[in-house]
Amino acid sequence: MRLAKGGPLGAALKEALRAGNQGGRNMGGGKGQKRCANLAAGRKIYVGNLPRDVQDEKLREAIARKCEKAYGLVDYVHVAALDESKKESRFEGKLHEGYAFVRFKDEDAARKAHDQLSDSGVLAFEGQSRPLRVEWAREIHEEDIDQEAVKASEDRRRARNEHKRRQRRRNKEIEVDELQGILNGIPAPAGLQAGTLFRDLEESSLFGRASGLACRSIEWADVPKECDPGAIEWYSSKVKEHVERRRQRKRCQVESFALILSKLVEQARRKTTRERIKVVDFGSGSGGLCLPLAFLFPDIDFHAVDMKSRAIELLLEKAHKAGLTNVTASAQMIEQYVGDFDVGLALHACGNATDYAMLRCVSRKAAFALCPCCVGKLKFSLEGGSSFSSVFKSYK
């Protein structure tokens, strides 16, 4: 499918091509072919091997006159203009490219011309040395585009998109109503009551650890860089915009978990007989969540669990440099952890790792706050695997 010389037709042409049949060489010009935005479908032929020393206008008039007399009314004749870039001597004296497109008023006339023109002698020119080459045209000119059909198609497309948007809005409203119904049935402090945990951080003096003053967020300037997930040392990218966006996300995650943890710890203290509360960070990685929380809550013991031994090594190294004495860690699968604890945390534990973290918490009757990762790796669970593989149960 080619675009005829004369420049691109933009969105209108693309719409016409999407709309359907455009009259290719194998179409045969049949009456049953699909109607679309291309007005030339089944009515336009290509005529090649025309004499190139005849003026464009004279050739156009001769083709239109002779074809109308022999076959039927003609809409237009396009003679292909000579490419201006062809300056070689072999093109001297040649006035055009030697081929033309003829569009007829109806398909019957076009079919007759297609079947008979090359052998009929209707288009005989003086000095013509080669027989005419006649095919169904594949090129589309601007006159071939039915603008009304294109507009109607665009209107239908907009109507479909608007209908889909309304459907999505209705489905979202239904989902929200269902979720609210479920949350209303969950007793406090969970369910809808959990939202009260996120009142303005100004109400909490938790984050003024270094200054002793209430503030709207953690005073990250007081947090050692080894414990700050927003520190530049944590990122391989040196692009300022990338680092800044990630810094904001990671710090916001820590602030949210810190606020929730403060409430969970209050409840845990009322239930446990241990002197110090123990928090386990499942799927800790190299400490993006565990380390800043350990710095903010020095009177709480933190234990990090991750399947990657190298991540645990980095976490402990950072904890040592930051002077943290309330952090321990173990390299193992979440489902293999058997220690006692009071609160369980998990941030972006992939696939069924979040499920295993929840099971560990439930089995120990521990409070928990979990923020799951994408669900893509749950496919490994369906295949009987682990959180990272459909085959291997352990990362080691």
Side-chain angles (χ1 to χ4, degrees):
M1 193 179 303
R2 298 177 300 209
L3 174 64
K5 295 181 189 294
L9 303 181
L13 174 59
K14 294 178 181 178
E15 183 65 26
L17 297 180
R18 284 196 298 266
N21 212 329
Q22 82 289 345
R25 72 169 63 183
N26 296 321
M27 291 168 55
K31 290 183 179 180
Q33 67 188 40
K34 182 178 178 181
R35 297 295 181 181
C36 64
N38 180 11
L39 296 173
R43 299 193 290 122
K44 184 175 177 180
I45 62 172
Y46 162 92
V47 182
N49 293 338
L50 293 171
R52 302 179 68 174
D53 56 352
V54 180
Q55 290 287 347
D56 295 20
E57 189 62 33
K58 291 182 178 180
L59 185 61
R60 188 179 301 109
E61 292 176 357
I63 293 174
R65 183 179 68 254
K66 294 180 180 181
C67 284
E68 284 195 347
K69 183 177 180 180
Y71 307 115
L73 293 177
V74 172
D75 275 340
Y76 69 74
V77 176
H78 270 306
V79 177
L82 187 66
D83 191 339
E84 292 296 330
S85 65
K86 295 179 177 179
K87 302 295 185 181
E88 298 91 339
S89 59
R90 62 193 182 94
F91 291 105
E92 290 182 3
K94 296 178 181 179
L95 305 178
H96 50 77
E97 292 286 359
Y99 62 88
F101 301 96
V102 185
R103 195 179 89 186
F104 290 87
K105 287 286 187 183
D106 59 71
E107 294 180 11
D108 288 337
R111 188 183 303 106
K112 290 178 183 178
H114 173 269
D115 296 341
Q116 303 172 14
L117 187 57
S118 59
D119 301 321
S120 64
V122 170
L123 288 183
F125 297 94
E126 184 179 352
Q128 183 175 339
S129 59
R130 294 185 295 173
L132 295 177
R133 178 183 175 185
V134 181
E135 301 176 350
W136 288 110
R138 290 174 290 179
E139 283 76 359
I140 297 177
H141 293 85
E142 191 166 4
E143 299 94 324
D144 299 333
I145 305 301
D146 186 345
Q147 298 298 339
E148 292 184 1
V150 170
K151 183 179 182 303
S153 176
E154 184 65 19
D155 290 342
R156 290 192 298 271
R157 184 187 65 81
R158 281 195 291 266
R160 286 195 302 269
N161 289 344
E162 181 58 33
H163 175 68
K164 290 178 180 178
R165 281 192 288 269
R166 289 195 299 270
Q167 280 188 321
R168 286 194 291 267
R169 284 197 295 269
R170 286 195 295 268
N171 292 338
K172 282 294 182 184
E173 291 171 358
I174 293 172
E175 290 177 2
V176 169
D177 290 341
E178 291 177 348
L179 286 173
Q180 285 185 333
I182 294 171
L183 292 173
N184 280 329
I186 301 176
L192 290 176
Q193 299 299 317
T196 60
L197 296 176
F198 288 96
R199 287 176 181 164
D200 196 336
L201 296 182
E202 201 171 53
E203 297 178 6
S204 174
S205 61
L206 165 69
F207 301 130
R209 178 181 186 274
S211 63
L213 300 175
C215 56
R216 293 184 62 85
S217 64
I218 295 172
E219 293 289 351
W220 289 103
D222 298 329
V223 178
K225 65 180 182 180
E226 293 84 6
C227 301
D228 180 6
I232 189 66
E233 289 79 3
W234 285 64
Y235 307 112
S236 58
S237 175
K238 301 303 179 184
V239 180
K240 184 178 179 181
E241 292 79 6
H242 295 176
V243 173
E244 186 58 33
R245 286 198 299 269
R246 186 173 175 84
R247 173 185 291 120
Q248 292 177 357
R249 289 198 303 269
K250 292 302 180 183
R251 286 178 172 177
C252 183
Q253 290 166 359
V254 173
E255 289 170 1
S256 299
F257 267 89
L259 185 58
I260 295 174
L261 181 60
S262 67
K263 305 298 182 180
L264 297 180
V265 167
E266 289 177 7
Q267 297 181 10
R269 290 192 193 280
R270 293 194 291 266
K271 293 169 54 179
T272 186
T273 57
R274 280 194 287 266
E275 292 184 6
R276 291 172 65 89
I277 296 295
K278 182 176 181 179
V279 176
V280 176
D281 180 11
F282 294 106
S284 63
S286 59
L289 177 64
C290 177
L291 294 179
L293 291 180
F295 174 79
L296 293 168
F297 296 87
D299 57 339
I300 296 175
D301 291 329
F302 287 83
H303 185 80
V305 176
D306 197 272
M307 64 182 181
K308 298 181 179 179
S309 58
R310 180 53 183 161
I312 293 299
E313 291 174 5
L314 291 173
L315 184 149
L316 292 175
E317 180 181 331
K318 293 175 184 177
H320 176 72
K321 290 181 179 179
L324 301 180
T325 59
N326 59 335
V327 177
T328 57
S330 58
Q332 61 185 133
M333 304 297 289
I334 293 174
E335 54 268 36
Q336 295 171 348
Y337 182 76
V338 294
D340 289 326
F341 59 98
D342 303 290
V343 179
L345 305 177
L347 173 60
H348 295 172
C350 294
N352 59 16
T354 296
D355 296 328
Y356 280 125
M358 187 181 299
L359 288 173
R360 292 293 89 196
C361 295
V362 171
S363 68
R364 295 296 174 180
K365 296 182 179 180
F368 58 85
L370 312 176
C371 179
C373 189
C374 59
V375 298
K377 293 185 179 180
L378 288 176
K379 62 184 178 182
F380 297 143
S381 300
L382 299 177
E383 298 172 5
S386 61
S387 60
F388 68 95
S389 170
S390 60
V391 179
F392 298 104
K393 297 287 187 178
S394 177
Y395 192 78
K396 295 180 179 179

